[in-house]
Amino acid sequence: MQQLALRDQASQPLLNSGWTLLYSGLTPSRASVTLLDPSESLQISLQIPTGETADDWDLWLEACNRQPSVPLRQWLESQGIEQITLSRLTGAESGGQEPLKISNMLQVARWLQSPIEAIEALAESNGSQLVLHLAGLGTNS
């Protein structure tokens, strides 16, 4: 089935970068995969419709730890994020208790821009669009 091949193709770059496969599944309505980043700070879930209608692809970026991973922190530093902002974002000033909020997840999406663009290109080449969902750990996420 073409959706299974697309699901595997979309997840392969992340798997090659050390992400862990948590789940892959197939139902009558979608093919899905869920991956966990090496630091266990972020989870990505991709759902590709398998029905006859050309529905959107859904990509979920979810925080699963209160602090960004070391690679994300390093990337943020390389982007010129001030150390004070980075300390607040990582929770270093509050003993790690500040949640990774939805506003922080926007930075995560920028960090993952290349894989997201690749998945988006796959969706578009198959007549669909990619819908990005962000979920942090804050009360408003």
Side-chain angles (χ1 to χ4, degrees):
M1 175 175 264
Q2 182 182 8
Q3 283 80 1
L4 292 176
L6 290 170
R7 178 194 67 192
D8 295 343
Q9 184 179 355
S11 59
Q12 198 58 53
L14 292 167
L15 290 169
N16 291 342
S17 297
W19 289 62
T20 302
L21 175 66
L22 292 181
Y23 170 82
S24 63
L26 177 66
T27 69
S29 59
R30 70 177 168 249
S32 59
V33 63
T34 301
L35 306 166
L36 183 66
D37 88 307
S39 69
E40 300 183 357
S41 298
L42 303 169
Q43 178 177 299
I44 289 183
S45 297
L46 175 64
Q47 299 175 351
I48 301 172
T50 58
E52 294 182 15
T53 61
D55 292 329
D56 299 334
W57 290 23
D58 289 302
L59 181 67
W60 289 86
L61 300 182
E62 301 176 63
C64 41
N65 196 334
R66 292 189 167 275
Q67 298 188 33
S69 65
V70 171
L72 175 56
R73 283 198 314 263
Q74 291 170 346
W75 180 83
L76 290 169
E77 288 172 355
S78 74
Q79 297 299 306
I81 303 296
E82 296 178 10
Q83 191 61 40
I84 293 170
T85 302
L86 187 59
S87 294
R88 190 185 77 249
L89 196 117
T90 62
E93 292 180 340
S94 59
Q97 296 305 309
E98 186 169 328
L100 192 56
K101 299 177 188 174
I102 197 76
S103 57
N104 305 137
M105 292 301 291
L106 292 172
Q107 295 291 343
V108 171
R110 287 186 52 215
W111 178 57
L112 293 170
Q113 183 174 349
S114 180
I116 291 171
E117 286 175 346
I119 294 169
E120 182 178 43
L122 278 174
E124 288 175 351
S125 69
N126 285 278
S128 296
Q129 72 173 2
L130 182 67
V131 177
L132 179 63
H133 306 270
L134 300 175
L137 289 177
T139 55
N140 294 323
S141 292

